[in-house]
Amino acid sequence: SQTIHQWPATLVQPVGSPLSLECTVEGTSNPNLYWYRQAAGRGLQLLFYSVGIGQISSEVPQNLSASRPQDRQFILSSKKLLLSDSGFYLCALFIGPVAFFGQGTRLTVV
Amino acid sequence: KQEVTQIPAALSVPEGENLVLNCSFTDSAIYNLQWFRQDPGKGLTSLLLIQSSQREQTSGRLNASLDKSSGRSTLYIAASQPGDSATYLCAVLSGGGADGLTFGKGTHLIIQP
């Protein structure tokens, strides 16, 4: 069965610092991968999705970027974090019509 | 653009009660609807998935219904237990499919022992 690994679980970063969150998956090949953000008082917002290596689609213009260097690796990055980047970041994949989520990374920008 | 709304935003009930969580969506052209559970600080666990051609799905004490034409789904929890306390999220898969799920903001459920 598929497994989604996200790290780190929690992260506190100062404003203006860079960011790199990694998501790796096991037990499936060529998955569609997604990055969501859950901010306080808001629903989950789709940030990026990828249907294959090097293919990234952005849903919301923002301070973040994503890359997919390998089939089972999806990375969320920022060159300079903003306070508004704080939130809970979730990586997800689809097996057919069913979505599976990682355990998330809690990012606090101070 | 698809929008998903969940009512109520929060709910607190005594243990043993049956309860209903509501979800509505604006665009009825969906592939499926999925209910998730989220514990504090954790990821999402899929509870039930209803395909657009289905009317309901059941798993244990959980029953989810779908009325696609009216843009509504309900999650029914029977004989609630303190362990059911969590945030419940409704999400729909629509559009081209590859652009992921649209989520509601969730219902924060507390079951009082």
Side-chain angles (χ1 to χ4, degrees), chain A residues 4-8 20-24 32-38 44-50 56-57 59 62 64-68 73-77 88-93 101 104-105:
Chain A
I4 304 172
H5 300 282
Q6 282 190 249
W7 64 88
S20 180
L21 301 182
E22 187 163 344
C23 170
T24 60
N32 286 0
L33 297 175
Y34 302 78
W35 277 112
Y36 284 87
R37 177 172 61 199
Q38 189 176 36
L44 274 86
Q45 180 185 36
L46 179 62
L47 302 176
F48 301 95
Y49 68 92
S50 171
I56 306 296
S57 296
E59 288 294 302
Q62 58 215 324
L64 304 170
S65 62
S67 62
R68 188 164 175 182
Q73 185 182 33
F74 200 24
I75 298 173
L76 183 69
S77 304
F88 192 52
Y89 289 82
L90 288 159
C91 178
L93 66 85
F101 285 81
T105 295

Side-chain angles (χ1 to χ4, degrees), chain B residues 18-95:
Chain B
N18 303 325
L19 54 98
V20 175
L21 308 182
N22 297 290
C23 172
S24 62
F25 46 95
T26 55
D27 185 351
S28 62
I30 65 170
Y31 289 96
N32 63 49
L33 183 145
Q34 206 165 344
W35 282 93
F36 293 89
R37 169 184 173 139
Q38 185 178 28
D39 293 292
K42 302 294 185 181
L44 278 63
T45 300
S46 180
L47 298 173
L48 291 165
L49 180 143
I50 311 176
Q51 300 287 2
S52 62
S53 59
Q54 298 174 323
R55 297 283 292 181
E56 67 176 347
Q57 283 286 334
T58 298
S59 175
R61 294 182 293 107
L62 305 179
N63 175 275
S65 67
L66 174 64
D67 184 343
K68 195 174 72 166
S69 61
S70 66
R72 295 179 181 179
S73 175
T74 62
L75 179 66
Y76 176 82
I77 303 177
S80 59
Q81 302 171 359
D84 295 330
S85 298
T87 296
Y88 290 80
L89 295 162
C90 169
V92 297
L93 183 65
S94 54

Side-chain angles (χ1 to χ4, degrees), chain A residues 58-97:
Chain A
S58 174
E59 288 294 302
V60 181
Q62 58 215 324
N63 186 42
L64 304 170
S65 62
S67 62
R68 188 164 175 182
Q70 301 179 39
D71 180 49
R72 301 176 188 180
Q73 185 182 33
F74 200 24
I75 298 173
L76 183 69
S77 304
S78 174
K79 293 183 179 178
K80 289 185 178 181
L81 284 169
L82 306 172
L83 287 174
S84 58
D85 292 324
S86 294
F88 192 52
Y89 289 82
L90 288 159
C91 178
L93 66 85
F94 275 74
I95 302 294

